[in-house]
C-alpha cells in the first residue's frame, strides 16, 4: 500500500489523556491507517516531525460560526489555530431550522444578516456545508430561540401547547437528519420568559436520538445556583446529558463562587451526566446589554451602529470624553457589541482545570473587533495554561480539546489519533506555540501551528491556507 502521508518521529499526544509517545503515523484516503515505531512503506509525502507534537485536530465545541463558515469557507480564524471541527447552533441560536420574516431578532442577529438565513430545515444546511466543503468539519445543535422565533408569536411570552407541538415537529425532523441536540440561551430577552416545562418537553425528544442538552443558563450572575438546578432538572426529566455552556461566575460579587458551582456539578454527577465547556479568558463578549452595564469592571465596546468611532474604547473612556456616566453612554451607543471583563482569573483557572470541562471558543466572527478568543483559544490553552502556567499536563490540555469533546458530542471516529479514525490532525511546535491575538489587535494567526490536516487533506501550513478544503457536515454518531 502506498500512503498519502507518513509523519516520521512525531511526539504523539493521541487525545485520550494518556501519556505521549514517539511514533510514525501514516494516513490514506482521509483516515489514519497505521501507527507504528517505524513505517517504511512507500508514501506520496513524508514529513519529518522531530520536535513536533502530533495530535488530533482541535474540536471547538462552542461556536457561533453557523453562517460565517458558509460566507468564508476558507475559515482561517479557526484553521490557523489547529481547529478541524466546529460545533455551531449554541446558546439557543442556530441558522439551521431558522425561518425569519423581515428582521433578525436578538440574539440570532449575532450569526449574520437576514439574507443569509436560507435554511428552514437541517437538510438544506447540511447540503450547503457539503457543497462548499469548508476548511473545517461542521456539526450543529438546534437552537431553542430559533425554534421559538419560528413558532411563537410573542417571543417575550412562554410558548403555548400548540407552539410547543410545532417546535417539537421541527426539532424531531432535525434530530432525524443528524443534529447533535438542543441548545438554549435562557439569559437572552427573547428566551428568558420560556417556562422550564417548555424546555423539558422539547428535551424529551433527545433521549431516543442520543442527543445532548446544552445551555447558556438563565443567569451566570447572582442566581447561578438556581439556574444550574434548572439545567440539571431538565436533563433528569429528559434522561439526557447536560452541557453547561461557557461556565463562569460573572460579576464582581460572584468572583470565587466557582468553588460552589463546581462542587454542585460534582454532587449531581453522581446521579446524572453533566459536563461544561469554557474559554481561557476572564472576559466574555456579546451584544451590549444595558442591564449588564456596571462600574465593577471594564466593558470594552467592539462596535456601535450610531457611533462607530467609539469601537475599541471602554465605556469609562467614552464617559470621560462625553462628560456623562457610563449608563448614559450605553443607552446612546446601542445597538453595539461589547467585551465584558466580568470574571476573575482564579475562577477561569478553576473551571479550565476541572475534570468536567472541555474547551470552546465562543467567538463572535461577525464582530468587526472580535474578542481574541476567536483566533487564539486553543493555542492559549496549550501555551499559557499548560506549558507556562503548568495548570495541567499537555496531554490533559489536548484531551479537553479533542477526545473528550468528540465523545461528548457523538462525533464518530474523531478526536483521537487511532487507526481507522479520520485524519483530522494538527502538528505544532510545543515551544513556539502561542496565541498572538490580543484585545487591541485580535485578528492574528497563532505561532507554532505547523500543519493542519482535515480528513487527510493538508489545509494549512507555514501560516498560510493551502487552498485545499475537505471539511464536511458531521451527523451525530455517523
Amino acid at each position: 500500500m502506498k500512503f498519502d502521508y507518513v509523519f516520521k518521529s512525531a511526539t504523539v499526544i493521541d487525545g485520550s489523556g494518556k501519556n505521549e509517545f514517539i511514533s510514525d503515523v501514516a494516513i490514506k484516503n482521509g483516515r489514519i491507517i497505521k501507527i507504528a515505531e517505524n513505517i517504511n512503506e512507500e508514501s506520496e509525502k513524508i514529513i519529518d516531525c522531530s520536535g513536533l507534537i502530533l495530535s488530533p485536530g482541535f474540536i471547538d465545541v462552542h461556536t457561533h460560526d453557523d453562517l460565517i463558515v458558509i460566507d468564508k469557507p476558507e475559515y482561517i480564524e479557526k484553521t490557523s489555530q489547529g481547529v478541524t471541527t466546529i460545533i455551531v447552533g449554541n446558546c439557543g441560536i442556530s441558522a439551521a431550522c431558522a425561518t425569519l420574516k423581515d428582521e433578525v431578532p436578538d440574539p440570532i442577529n449575532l450569526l449574520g444578516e437576514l439574507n443569509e438565513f436560507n435554511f428552514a430545515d437541517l437538510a438544506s444546511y447540511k447540503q450547503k456545508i457539503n457543497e462548499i466543503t469548508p476548511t473545517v468539519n461542521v456539526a450543529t445543535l438546534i437552537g431553542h430561540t430559533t425554534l421559538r422565533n419560528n413558532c411563537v408569536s410573542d417571543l417575550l411570552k412562554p410558548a403555548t401547547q400548540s407552539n410547543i407541538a410545532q417546535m417539537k415537529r421541527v426539532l424531531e425532523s432535525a434530530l432525524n437528519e443528524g443534529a447533535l441536540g438542543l441548545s438554549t440561551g435562557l439569559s437572552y430577552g427573547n428566551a428568558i420568559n420560556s417556562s422550564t416545562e417548555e424546555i423539558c418537553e422539547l428535551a424529551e425528544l433527545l433521549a431516543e436520538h442520543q442527543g445532548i442538552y446544552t445551555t447558556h443558563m438563565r443567569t451566570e450572575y447572582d442566581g447561578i445556583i438556581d439556574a444550574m438546578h434548572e439545567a440539571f432538572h431538565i436533563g433528569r426529566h429528559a434522561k439526557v446529558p447536560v452541557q453547561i455552556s461557557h461556565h463562569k461566575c460573572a460579576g464582581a460579587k460572584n468572583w470565587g463562587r466557582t468553588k460552589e458551582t463546581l462542587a454542585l456539578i460534582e454532587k449531581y454527577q453522581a446521579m446524572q451526566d453533566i459536563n461544561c465547556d469554557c474559554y481561557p479568558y476572564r472576559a466574555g463578549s456579546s451584544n451590549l446589554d444595558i442591564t449588564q452595564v456596571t462600574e465593577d469592571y471594564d466593558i470594552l465596546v467592539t462596535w456601535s451602529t450610531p457611533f462607530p468611532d467609539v469601537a475599541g474604547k471602554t465605556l469609562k473612556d467614552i464617559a470621560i470624553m462625553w462628560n456623562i456616566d457610563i449608563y448614559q453612554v450605553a443607552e446612546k451607543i446601542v445597538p453595539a457589541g461589547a467585551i465584558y471583563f466580568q470574571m476573575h482569573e482564579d475562577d477561569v483557572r478553576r473551571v479550565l482545570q476541572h475534570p468536567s470541562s472541555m474547551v470552546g471558543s465562543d467567538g463572535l466572527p461577525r464582530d468587526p473587533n472580535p474578542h481574541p478568543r476567536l483566533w487564539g483559544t486553543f493555542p492559549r490553552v496549550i501555551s499559557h495554561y499548560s506549558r507556562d502556567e503548568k495548570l495541567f499536563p499537555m496531554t490533559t490540555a489536548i484531551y479537553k480539546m479533542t477526545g473528550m469533546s468528540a465523545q461528548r458530542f457523538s462525533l464518530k471516529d474523531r478526536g483521537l489519533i487511532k487507526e481507522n479514525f479520520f485524519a483530522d490532525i494538527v502538528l505544532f511546535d510545543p515551544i513556539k506555540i502561542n496565541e498572538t491575538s490580543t484585545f487591541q489587535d485580535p485578528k492574528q494567526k497563532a505561532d507554532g501551528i505547523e500543519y493542519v490536516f482535515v480528513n487527510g487533506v493538508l489545509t494549512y501550513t507555514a501560516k498560510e491556507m493551502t487552498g485545499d478544503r475537505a471539511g464536511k457536515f458531521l451527523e451525530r454518531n455517523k
Side-chain angles (χ1 to χ4, degrees):
M1 180 192 294
K2 189 174 185 180
F3 297 120
D4 294 336
Y5 287 89
V6 171
F7 306 103
K8 299 292 288 184
S9 305
T11 300
V12 178
I13 297 182
D14 67 5
S16 69
K18 293 176 185 170
N19 289 341
E20 60 195 54
F21 57 93
I22 306 290
S23 183
D24 292 358
V25 177
I27 65 175
K28 185 175 178 64
N29 296 332
R31 299 259 185 175
I32 298 166
I33 302 299
K34 189 173 183 181
I35 303 169
E37 275 188 27
N38 201 1
I39 297 174
N40 293 313
E41 290 98 321
E42 201 177 342
S43 176
E44 292 284 344
K45 291 182 182 167
I46 295 171
I47 297 178
D48 179 7
C49 300
S50 304
L52 299 181
I53 286 176
L54 185 154
S55 86
F58 307 139
I59 298 170
D60 192 341
V61 301
H62 192 103
T63 84
H64 297 291
D65 297 337
D66 309 43
L67 293 173
I68 195 79
V69 75
I70 293 169
D71 186 41
K72 289 174 58 178
E74 289 248 326
Y75 196 24
I76 193 165
E77 288 90 331
K78 294 297 166 71
T79 305
S80 64
Q81 54 179 310
V83 171
T84 56
T85 296
I86 58 173
I87 294 174
V88 303
N90 285 281
C91 294
I93 56 174
S94 60
C97 300
T99 308
L100 303 178
K101 299 182 179 69
D102 49 3
E103 64 175 358
V104 190
D106 183 68
I108 302 174
N109 57 10
L110 289 171
L111 301 181
E113 302 291 333
L114 184 62
N115 64 346
E116 297 179 89
F117 287 86
N118 302 309
F119 310 104
D121 54 23
L122 186 59
S124 57
Y125 185 76
K126 183 195 316 183
Q127 181 182 346
K128 187 66 175 179
I129 294 295
N130 286 331
E131 187 184 298
I132 63 162
T133 52
T135 53
V136 289
N137 300 308
V138 181
T140 191
L141 299 152
I142 301 302
H144 166 241
T145 304
T146 293
L147 297 175
R148 283 175 65 78
N149 180 71
N150 294 356
C151 307
V152 181
S153 56
D154 187 347
L155 289 175
L156 301 180
K157 291 182 179 175
T160 64
Q161 277 307 123
S162 169
N163 297 153
I164 293 169
Q166 208 178 339
M167 289 193 281
K168 285 174 82 169
R169 284 194 291 274
V170 179
L171 179 58
E172 178 79 42
S173 172
L175 290 167
N176 284 329
E177 290 165 359
L180 303 180
L182 174 72
S183 78
T184 55
L186 298 177
S187 75
Y188 290 103
N190 284 326
I192 201 163
N193 292 316
S194 334
S195 67
T196 305
E197 292 70 30
E198 169 184 333
I199 301 150
C200 280
E201 283 200 54
L202 291 171
E204 286 168 5
L205 297 175
L206 301 175
E208 64 185 276
H209 297 276
Q210 294 86 51
I212 189 170
Y213 172 62
T214 78
T215 180
H216 177 154
M217 300 184 298
R218 281 194 201 269
T219 183
E220 296 167 321
Y221 289 80
D222 303 2
I224 189 167
I225 297 298
D226 287 343
M228 292 175 73
H229 279 298
E230 179 187 40
F232 300 165
H233 167 76
I234 292 164
R236 285 196 307 278
H237 173 87
K239 301 180 177 63
V240 295
V242 174
Q243 179 88 358
I244 297 174
S245 297
H246 42 61
H247 184 43
K248 66 175 77 74
C249 289
K253 60 182 169 181
N254 295 307
W255 290 348
R257 290 188 70 193
T258 53
K259 292 175 184 171
E260 190 182 347
T261 61
L262 294 171
L264 193 67
I265 288 174
E266 289 170 11
K267 177 183 174 183
Y268 278 85
Q269 279 176 327
M271 297 171 265
Q272 61 184 120
D273 187 352
I274 301 165
N275 273 356
C276 66
D277 54 70
C278 62
Y279 46 82
Y281 299 86
R282 56 171 290 262
S285 181
S286 190
N287 289 337
L288 179 59
D289 180 351
I290 292 172
T291 66
Q292 290 188 21
V293 172
T294 177
E295 294 179 336
D296 290 348
Y297 46 79
D298 281 339
I299 298 172
L300 181 70
V301 178
T302 59
W303 59 270
S304 166
T305 301
F307 294 95
D309 58 321
V310 301
K313 297 181 173 68
T314 65
L315 290 183
K316 288 176 184 173
D317 292 337
I318 304 163
I320 291 166
M321 273 172 33
W322 291 355
N323 199 27
I324 55 177
D325 67 38
I326 61 168
Y327 307 98
Q328 292 168 305
V329 169
E331 286 177 2
K332 281 172 74 82
I333 68 171
V334 290
I339 292 171
Y340 301 84
F341 290 82
Q342 62 198 20
M343 289 111 79
H344 194 282
E345 176 65 17
D346 290 350
D347 287 318
V348 174
R349 294 164 69 93
R350 208 173 283 121
V351 174
L352 194 56
Q353 195 175 27
H354 197 268
S356 69
S357 71
M358 57 206 76
V359 178
S361 69
D362 196 21
L364 300 178
R366 298 296 190 176
D367 198 316
N369 297 288
H371 189 302
R373 64 191 178 184
L374 183 68
W375 290 79
T377 287
F378 293 84
R380 179 173 170 83
V381 171
I382 295 168
S383 62
H384 179 66
Y385 285 108
S386 177
R387 183 192 64 207
D388 300 344
E389 295 289 313
K390 300 191 170 22
L391 196 61
F392 34 61
M394 207 166 284
T395 50
T396 301
I398 300 297
Y399 170 63
K400 284 175 172 286
M401 308 194 302
T402 59
M404 184 183 189
S405 309
Q407 184 179 18
R408 185 63 170 165
F409 285 89
S410 304
L411 304 177
K412 191 170 181 244
D413 296 346
R414 309 266 172 191
L416 296 176
I417 300 300
K418 187 175 179 180
E419 289 180 1
N420 299 317
F421 270 49
F422 288 99
D424 292 343
I425 292 170
V426 59
L427 285 144
F428 65 90
D429 185 321
I431 296 166
K432 291 181 183 172
I433 189 169
N434 271 305
E435 59 153 347
T436 59
S437 53
T438 64
F439 287 101
Q440 288 69 37
D441 195 5
K443 299 177 183 180
Q444 302 295 322
K445 292 176 274 194
D447 288 338
I449 302 288
E450 303 298 333
Y451 301 89
V452 180
F453 289 81
V454 177
N455 296 312
V457 172
L458 178 59
T459 302
Y460 180 85
T461 187
K463 280 199 166 185
E464 297 294 337
M465 306 298 281
T466 64
D468 294 323
R469 310 198 303 259
K472 58 179 76 169
F473 185 85
L474 303 185
E475 297 179 42
R476 186 193 59 261
N477 282 325
K478 284 190 182 176

